[in-house]
Each structure stands twice: as structure tokens, then as C-alpha cells.
Amino acid sequence: MTRVLVLNGPNLGRLGVREPEVYGSTTHDELSSAVEKWAADLGLDADVRQTDDESALVGWLHEAVDARAHVALNPAAFTHYSYALRDAAAQVTRAGLVLVEVHLSNPYARETFRHVSVIGPIATGTIAGFGVEGYRLALEAIASRL
């Protein structure tokens, strides 16, 4: 089975309780279960992780390159300013792996500061605004490129 790291950034561990009107009522545990099922249905092996720590995300992206794992990444707030995360994510796509940037909400329909992504220009593609379903779409996009 093809391995996919599904990486979630800061505050996503608070899904279900943090601004449910923006991010929905699904918890991170429920999201993880859904992602694992969707991935299995597509013949993928998903490893879902969440951290509030930028360096952990950078390390996981390095791991993806070394393990030849594709990535679905919700960088959350790091989307807008983390050049360290951008540089690590660029290593994934430069290695010929698929990296899909995922956002639960549509950043372009929100505050102006959310309109800039330093990840988008180096990602294979971006899926935003479809809530939890965005992860399913990201997995389908990865599976379609294998």
C-alpha cells in the first residue's frame, strides 16, 4: 500500500470545539478515523498526525521525503508565514511526491491576512473550503496521481 502522511498543524487538535461555525463539529479523532477509512478504500495507508509545533511538522515533512510518502498537509496558521515549513514542503514536491495543501475553511473568504499561502506555490495542489470532505478530496487527488 502507498503511504500517505496526513499532517495537521496548530489548533487542529481542537477541532469540534474551536469555532465550529468555521471549522465544523467533527473532532480530530473523528477526522482521523474518516481519513483512515477513505485512504484504505483508495488503497492508501494514511498516517494522521497533529501538532502545534512547527519543528515537528518540518521533521514529518523530512520523514515523508526519506520514506517516499505522499502528503496531505493542513498547515493551519503556519500557512501564512512559515518559510521553514514551506522549504520542507518544497523538498516533498521536488522529490517527485504529491503534496496537497488542505484547508477546512476557504481562506480567501476570510480575513485578508489569510489570503496568502507560502505553501500553495510549492504544493501539487490546494483544496480549501469543503470542510472535512477536503481531506477525502486530497486523498483522491493523491491516489489519482499514482
Side-chain angles (χ1 to χ4, degrees), residues 3-140:
R3 186 166 177 224
V4 177
L5 296 184
V6 179
L7 307 178
N8 293 303
N11 297 308
L12 290 169
R14 305 282 300 156
L15 287 177
V17 295
R18 176 185 176 228
E19 298 180 79
E21 68 281 2
V22 174
Y23 301 108
S25 59
T26 302
T27 68
H28 192 270
D29 286 344
E30 292 167 339
L31 170 65
S32 295
S33 294
V35 165
E36 289 167 1
K37 181 192 179 311
W38 292 328
D41 290 346
L42 293 165
L44 304 172
D45 178 25
D47 182 355
V48 184
R49 304 176 186 180
Q50 188 280 324
T51 185
D52 297 327
D53 183 348
E54 183 179 23
S55 67
L57 279 172
V58 168
W60 292 340
L61 290 167
H62 294 167
E63 176 187 335
V65 173
D66 295 343
R68 304 288 305 152
H70 303 282
V71 176
L73 171 65
N74 186 337
F78 294 140
T79 301
H80 315 294
Y81 66 89
S82 176
Y83 293 105
L85 195 60
R86 180 248 177 247
D87 290 349
Q91 292 177 53
V92 174
T93 53
R94 285 192 192 121
L97 298 163
V98 178
L99 184 143
V100 179
E101 178 186 26
V102 179
H103 296 285
L104 293 163
S105 67
N106 179 355
Y108 298 103
R110 300 185 60 201
E111 303 92 340
T112 304
F113 77 89
R114 296 184 194 276
H115 296 183
V116 174
S117 170
V118 299
I119 306 299
I122 55 83
T124 306
T126 300
I127 297 171
F130 294 98
V132 171
E133 287 293 308
Y135 288 85
R136 182 183 54 76
L137 296 170
L139 292 168
E140 288 177 358

